[in-house]
Amino acid sequence: MSSWRGENVLILTASSGLGSFAPAFRLRSYLRAQGATTHFYCIEQLFDEYAIQKHQQTRAHCRANFRKALLLQKVVEQGGIDLKSIIDPDKFDTMLHIWLQQKFTRCIVFSGFWVSALAEMTTGYSPTTKIDAVHMDAVLSSSWLHAKAHSQAVQASIRDIYLYKKNSKRVFTLYPVEQPLDWRFRSPRVLGHGGGWQMGDLAALNARLNREAIYSDMILPAGTAVVSSPYQRILTTEANYHPWENLDKLPDLTILPEANSNEPPSNINFEQLARSAPAIITKPGGASLLDSINFATPLVLLPAFGEYEKQNAITWLSLGFAVTFEQWQESGYSFDMLKKLHNNLLNHSAVSPIFGASNETGD
């Protein structure tokens, strides 16, 4: 078993919703700590200015209208995105020139759009002979469905790696993590968010938790008019944060003070919140499943975004790692129910990292 020291690793991701970006970002940090040289790219770095503008508009529309977001997702899955029309050829050529100077020993891909882009923009080139395709969902997500039509044209063998898969009881982490926080030391506050794009009716969820006097940390989009209260801490995402403009940080979270308070806003780390929460109330995105298994923090599930998130939800429910919000509501918002799910996560014996201390990929 050889270490990562001396390895030259290319990591390719996307920033849509942060579900691919944040896990890839954290994997890069881990591999660097193990001595690897890493090269990190986000597909949106290659977009032309018009495509970037449309991307930001799409995010705003999806945040405002969940049903419209589902329709846009179907367009992507059915191959409705022509990457050649939105990728700036000069940006792509500059990137390719840099790649050709490197001898990559590993290529780890978190978004199928990269497979599509390589197939459409190059002929007979791949950064490595083998590509590790990391799937953050229990079935093929939109970007990987888009890539299916192009994968044969990429001059590399693509190895599919699922952290969790439909109809399988095997679950993996992406990289080694520290021991989860004991239930006795957990915060009394559940954590609520709508994924990286903050989709869903978060205002209604916020109002319900407040009405039921449930202590919570609620992450809302920047510019929200809601303030913190004795029961609820309101946290806002960083305004104007775009991963493709800064590949070396994740967005800051700001805790808003209560009304009429003289305390200034303060920042907090998302992983700190997820690790100490008794549960995360969110839609079943792949990155949220990874947070759940990393921190042994159960999920209380909001409506899924598309078919792959529905399969994520079915997988987590069947493993005893989650309940739907309706089930938790029917239990009287029982924390004993959450503790049982936490113990299920702790006791799941098959959890091991895909990318561990050696550079051999876990099966």
Side-chain angles (χ1 to χ4, degrees), residues 183-315:
W183 185 260
R184 294 172 297 167
F185 306 118
R186 299 265 168 160
S187 163
R189 296 179 179 274
V190 295
L191 172 61
H193 67 81
W197 277 15
Q198 293 294 77
M199 292 193 294
D201 196 348
L202 298 176
L205 173 63
N206 187 58
R208 180 182 292 276
L209 294 176
N210 196 39
R211 189 165 59 247
E212 299 292 343
I214 297 170
Y215 286 98
S216 64
D217 285 321
M218 182 64 65
I219 301 175
L220 298 175
T224 182
V226 184
V227 297
S228 294
S229 70
Y231 282 111
Q232 292 173 290
R233 284 197 308 184
I234 302 300
L235 302 93
T236 58
T237 51
E238 184 176 349
N240 301 317
Y241 167 79
H242 305 304
W244 61 89
E245 294 177 347
N246 188 343
L247 300 179
D248 292 319
K249 71 185 293 288
L250 292 172
D252 294 327
L253 289 177
T254 300
I255 304 174
L256 300 184
E258 294 183 27
N260 303 318
S261 170
N262 293 322
E263 292 184 13
S266 58
N267 290 345
I268 193 167
N269 179 275
F270 174 81
E271 288 188 287
Q272 178 184 340
L273 289 171
R275 185 169 186 267
S276 62
I280 303 172
I281 306 174
T282 188
K283 63 187 187 64
S288 292
L289 269 59
L290 184 59
D291 292 334
S292 177
I293 199 70
N294 278 348
F295 307 121
T297 302
L299 299 183
V300 177
L301 298 175
L302 300 176
F305 176 55
E307 181 59 30
Y308 60 89
E309 286 198 358
K310 288 180 183 177
Q311 295 302 326
N312 289 349
I314 290 169
T315 299

Side-chain angles (χ1 to χ4, degrees), residues 23-39:
F25 178 93
R26 293 179 178 125
L27 176 63
R28 176 182 65 168
S29 298
Y30 171 75
L31 295 181
R32 280 180 171 178
Q34 298 301 306
T37 299
T38 60
H39 303 260

Side-chain angles (χ1 to χ4, degrees), residues 74-357:
K74 287 293 184 186
V75 172
V76 173
E77 292 175 354
Q78 294 167 8
I81 290 183
D82 177 9
L83 286 172
K84 261 192 170 179
S85 70
I86 61 178
I87 288 178
D88 185 321
D90 291 334
K91 290 181 180 179
F92 189 91
D93 289 345
T94 299
M95 179 195 72
L96 198 59
H97 176 75
I98 294 171
W99 286 11
L100 290 169
Q101 313 308 309
Q102 298 290 331
K103 291 186 178 179
F104 298 116
T105 58
R106 294 288 290 265
C107 180
I108 305 171
V109 182
F110 283 81
S111 169
F113 290 134
W114 275 105
V115 173
S116 301
L118 288 172
E120 290 190 27
M121 304 293 287
T122 65
T123 302
Y125 170 79
S126 177
T128 57
T129 57
K130 293 182 180 179
I131 292 175
D132 289 333
V134 177
H135 297 271
M136 296 298 303
D137 299 282
V139 295
L140 291 177
S141 62
S142 299
S143 75
W144 291 109
L145 286 169
H146 187 275
K148 282 180 70 176
H150 302 91
S151 59
Q152 296 298 320
V154 175
Q155 301 298 306
S157 62
I158 299 175
R159 174 169 47 188
D160 292 309
I161 296 173
Y162 285 85
L163 302 184
Y164 10 81
K165 195 170 185 180
K166 179 182 177 181
N167 299 326
S168 174
K169 294 187 178 298
R170 300 189 71 190
V171 173
F172 301 91
T173 58
L174 192 58
Y175 46 81
V177 294
E178 61 182 304
Q179 183 71 19
L181 191 65
D182 190 278
W183 185 260
R184 294 172 297 167
F185 306 118
R186 299 265 168 160
S187 163
R189 296 179 179 274
V190 295
L191 172 61
H193 67 81
W197 277 15
Q198 293 294 77
M199 292 193 294
D201 196 348
L202 298 176
L205 173 63
N206 187 58
R208 180 182 292 276
L209 294 176
N210 196 39
R211 189 165 59 247
E212 299 292 343
I214 297 170
Y215 286 98
S216 64
D217 285 321
M218 182 64 65
I219 301 175
L220 298 175
T224 182
V226 184
V227 297
S228 294
S229 70
Y231 282 111
Q232 292 173 290
R233 284 197 308 184
I234 302 300
L235 302 93
T236 58
T237 51
E238 184 176 349
N240 301 317
Y241 167 79
H242 305 304
W244 61 89
E245 294 177 347
N246 188 343
L247 300 179
D248 292 319
K249 71 185 293 288
L250 292 172
D252 294 327
L253 289 177
T254 300
I255 304 174
L256 300 184
E258 294 183 27
N260 303 318
S261 170
N262 293 322
E263 292 184 13
S266 58
N267 290 345
I268 193 167
N269 179 275
F270 174 81
E271 288 188 287
Q272 178 184 340
L273 289 171
R275 185 169 186 267
S276 62
I280 303 172
I281 306 174
T282 188
K283 63 187 187 64
S288 292
L289 269 59
L290 184 59
D291 292 334
S292 177
I293 199 70
N294 278 348
F295 307 121
T297 302
L299 299 183
V300 177
L301 298 175
L302 300 176
F305 176 55
E307 181 59 30
Y308 60 89
E309 286 198 358
K310 288 180 183 177
Q311 295 302 326
N312 289 349
I314 290 169
T315 299
W316 236 235
L317 290 166
S318 68
L319 290 169
F321 298 165
V323 291
T324 64
F325 188 87
E326 291 74 19
Q327 288 171 330
W328 192 46
Q329 182 181 16
E330 289 170 5
S331 76
Y333 305 102
S334 167
F335 274 63
D336 286 338
M337 172 183 278
L338 301 181
K339 183 179 180 181
K340 182 178 179 181
L341 301 177
H342 161 75
N343 288 332
N344 290 344
L345 284 156
L346 281 180
N347 294 332
H348 195 75
S349 59
V351 177
S352 58
I354 293 293
F355 300 101

Side-chain angles (χ1 to χ4, degrees), residues 21-57:
F21 184 84
F25 178 93
R26 293 179 178 125
L27 176 63
R28 176 182 65 168
S29 298
Y30 171 75
L31 295 181
R32 280 180 171 178
Q34 298 301 306
T37 299
T38 60
H39 303 260
F40 191 68
Y41 288 84
C42 184
I43 191 71
E44 288 82 1
Q45 287 175 275
L46 303 178
F47 287 5
D48 61 32
E49 290 304 313
Y50 179 74
I52 286 291
Q53 189 177 54
K54 291 292 290 183
H55 179 70
Q56 292 171 299
Q57 290 174 354

